[in-house]
Amino acid sequence: IGTEGTKCTLSILYVLATGGTPKSISTYLWNERRKFLLLAVPAGIYNFQQTLEYVALKNLNAAIFSVIVQTKLLTTAVFSATLLGKKLRRAQVISLALLTSGVMLAQLHSK
């Protein structure tokens, strides 16, 4: 929650520093409320996920936690390719293979 609050505060400060006003910010959010609400859902889910990662880090050892966190990237790529029909480039597949093998080697080394 802290990092997201910091991002929001810095964004507001940037708008204010570049000539915006609090009224212009609220007017923009009101006029674009549908987009704002559509973006609020994944942002809230992301924030909840980050909170759960802190809970997981507290309850798991570092090696297992790093494996789980790194598999997010792999599963996202796999689901993106299968569910959304995205085509992964060769460099992306190689990068995912290197990431997976690196995490596996780190797990073996930690034992």
Side-chain angles (χ1 to χ4, degrees):
I1 295 176
T3 58
E4 300 308 312
T6 303
K7 290 177 192 176
C8 184
T9 303
L10 290 174
S11 297
I12 291 170
L13 290 174
Y14 176 77
V15 170
L16 294 175
T18 57
T21 63
K23 176 121 176 86
S24 68
I25 294 171
S26 63
T27 302
Y28 177 79
L29 291 177
W30 178 253
N31 291 338
E32 300 292 337
R33 63 186 171 273
R34 187 173 190 291
K35 289 180 185 176
F36 178 73
L37 291 174
L38 287 174
L39 290 172
V41 173
I45 293 170
Y46 173 77
N47 201 357
F48 183 65
Q49 173 201 3
Q50 292 294 100
T51 304
L52 289 178
E53 281 189 14
Y54 285 117
V55 172
L57 181 58
K58 179 181 173 191
N59 294 312
L60 298 172
N61 68 33
I64 292 175
F65 177 76
S66 69
V67 169
I68 291 171
V69 168
Q70 294 302 325
T71 57
K72 282 191 318 186
L73 185 62
L74 179 65
T75 55
T76 301
V78 169
F79 285 134
S80 176
T82 56
L83 297 177
L84 300 176
K86 299 254 182 180
K87 184 82 172 153
L88 295 176
R89 294 188 313 264
R90 184 176 186 177
Q92 291 172 316
V93 173
I94 292 170
S95 298
L96 288 169
L98 287 172
L99 174 71
T100 304
S101 58
V103 169
M104 293 162 85
L105 288 173
Q107 178 66 21
L108 287 174
H109 179 68
S110 68
K111 287 185 178 184

